Amino acid sequence: MQHSVIFKMHENIDPLRINEFFIAAQKLSAIKGVLNFKQWKQVSSKNPFQFGLSMEFNTEEAYQHYNNHPAHTAFIQDQWIPCVSEFLEIDLELL
């Protein structure tokens, strides 16, 4: 399973705050079961989103472990909610 979030930051957010956000996001890669964690910057002008995070999981159980992990829930409260204005969450499985 691939889990991705594509998002836009609040307008006029300080670049240092954005850097802090991505440093904190990188720490999510240490949660057991997270594979191939990547951070992305949008380069196309075809949509309004600016950034993305993606990761993979071998099982649904590993994804649920990540989703409910205290480090993930703290990231949502401390980083995501204060910084992100809009997002798409995309979860994909191979055909």
Side-chain angles (χ1 to χ4, degrees):
M1 166 192 254
Q2 180 174 320
H3 171 68
S4 300
V5 286
I6 313 304
F7 56 96
K8 182 169 131 177
M9 297 283 191
H10 289 293
E11 287 188 33
N12 302 319
I13 192 166
D14 186 285
L16 292 175
R17 182 66 175 98
I18 293 173
N19 189 52
E20 178 183 309
F21 174 95
F22 283 104
I23 289 169
Q26 182 64 43
K27 294 176 184 174
L28 297 173
S29 68
I31 297 173
K32 184 178 177 181
V34 174
L35 305 169
N36 300 318
F37 180 88
K38 295 186 175 148
Q39 301 183 89
W40 304 92
K41 180 179 178 183
Q42 171 65 263
V43 295
S44 171
S45 61
K46 295 179 183 178
N47 71 66
F49 298 102
Q50 301 165 299
F51 302 103
L53 300 174
S54 67
M55 61 200 77
E56 296 175 2
F57 300 92
N58 283 332
T59 64
E60 176 67 24
E61 291 78 21
Y63 172 68
Q64 291 305 325
H65 172 76
Y66 161 81
N67 204 38
N68 296 310
H69 194 281
H72 177 251
T73 57
F75 175 79
I76 297 300
Q77 290 301 312
D78 300 340
Q79 301 295 332
W80 188 266
I81 291 172
C83 293
V84 173
S85 63
E86 294 180 53
F87 71 96
L88 293 174
E89 183 171 327
I90 304 168
D91 295 322
L92 302 169
E93 291 183 345
L94 290 173
L95 289 175

